[in-house]
């Protein structure tokens, strides 16, 4: 995709003719199969003013009953961000780009798609702590969670609401209060 940056420039110029303050978001979803150096080269070639949305846990490996599995899409089995997100977030931040993710912080993943939320509060707490870390250290400024809404009210949606609120609260203490 050596010409992809040219395409993004053309799109950006066209949309800004109509709406000068329009934001152009490039979602690198599913690029984790590509070598890191090529993904970073593409990010570095993009025009100014692009927002990057990188997948949260995609392409990370985890143990599943002794089998090596790769997270293809939205799994709470991998609570933290993956190397794919981290490498792209660092590259985008170095360029002054805003970083977003598809992190499904609202309470639902594909681990068991038909249920309204994934009832694993302490795993969600770990995920929210990683989200906070990414906000403070990797320039994470937004998350696209409209793909899978959690259900409200639920323990997870309460934790999610507090996880992104400053000043930060201790989520494990909050979990004890919610359960009462």
């Amino acid at each position: 995709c050596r010409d992809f940056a040219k395409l993004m420039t053309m799109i950006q110029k066209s949309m800004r003719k109509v709406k000068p303050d329009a934001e152009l978001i490039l979602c690198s979803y599913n690029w984790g199969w590509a070598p890191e150096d090529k993904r970073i080269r593409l990010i570095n070639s993009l025009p100014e003013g692009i927002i990057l949305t990188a997948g949260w846990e995609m392409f990370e490996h985890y143990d599943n009953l002794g089998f090596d599995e790769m997270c293809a899409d939205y799994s709470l089995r991998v609570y933290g961000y993956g190397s794919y997100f981290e490498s792209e977030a660092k590259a985008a931040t170095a360029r002054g780009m805003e970083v977003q993710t598809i992190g499904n912080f609202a309470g639902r993943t594909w681990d068991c798609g038909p249920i309204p939320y994934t009832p694993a509060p302490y795993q969600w707490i770990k995920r929210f702590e990683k989200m906070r870390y990414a906000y403070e250290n990797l320039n994470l400024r937004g998350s696209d969670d409209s793909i899978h809404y959690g259900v409200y009210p639920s323990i997870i949606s309460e934790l999610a609401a507090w996880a992104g609120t400053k000043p930060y609260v201790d989520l494990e203490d909050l979990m004890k209060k919610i359960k009462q």
Side-chain angles (χ1 to χ4, degrees):
C1 290
R2 282 172 268 177
D3 59 350
F4 196 78
K6 291 178 184 175
L7 173 64
M8 295 300 290
T9 301
M10 181 186 73
I11 293 169
Q12 186 180 51
K13 284 181 180 178
S14 297
M15 60 187 250
R16 292 222 168 127
K17 282 181 184 177
V18 177
K19 186 169 180 6
D21 62 342
E23 295 179 330
L24 181 56
I25 299 172
L26 174 63
C27 183
S28 66
Y29 176 87
N30 256 347
W31 289 2
W33 58 267
E36 181 177 325
D37 64 322
K38 291 183 179 180
R39 291 184 287 108
I40 302 309
R41 190 175 329 134
L42 175 59
I43 290 169
N44 288 334
S45 72
L46 294 171
E48 296 291 318
I50 303 286
I51 297 171
L52 178 71
T53 298
W56 181 254
E57 76 283 75
M58 292 173 64
F59 302 102
E60 287 302 298
H61 288 262
Y62 61 92
D63 179 71
N64 185 15
L65 302 173
F67 294 95
D68 179 49
E69 296 280 343
M70 184 185 73
C71 180
D73 224 359
Y74 315 128
S75 176
L76 195 55
R77 291 172 187 253
V78 181
Y79 58 84
Y81 55 81
S83 58
Y84 164 47
F85 172 82
E86 183 177 28
S87 65
E88 292 191 6
K90 286 180 178 178
T93 299
R95 292 263 338 268
M97 298 168 68
E98 183 177 319
V99 177
Q100 298 180 358
T101 191
I102 304 170
N104 289 345
F105 298 112
R108 187 153 174 238
T109 64
W110 278 119
D111 295 306
C112 189
I115 64 172
Y117 69 93
T118 308
Y122 292 101
Q123 194 74 347
W124 283 104
I125 288 172
K126 291 178 189 175
R127 190 179 195 94
F128 298 145
E129 292 293 343
K130 286 293 188 176
M131 175 198 67
R132 287 174 170 177
Y133 180 87
Y135 176 82
E136 298 293 339
N137 298 284
L138 296 172
N139 196 31
L140 178 63
R141 292 299 176 259
S143 177
D144 180 356
D145 283 297
S146 62
I147 294 172
H148 304 291
Y149 290 108
V151 171
Y152 184 84
S154 78
I155 292 170
I156 309 308
S157 59
E158 286 294 324
L159 288 170
W162 282 98
T165 303
K166 281 191 171 187
Y168 293 145
V169 299
D170 183 296
L171 295 174
E172 290 201 22
D173 284 347
L174 178 62
M175 178 66 202
K176 292 172 191 169
K177 292 174 185 172
I178 292 171
K179 286 182 5 180
Q180 293 178 354

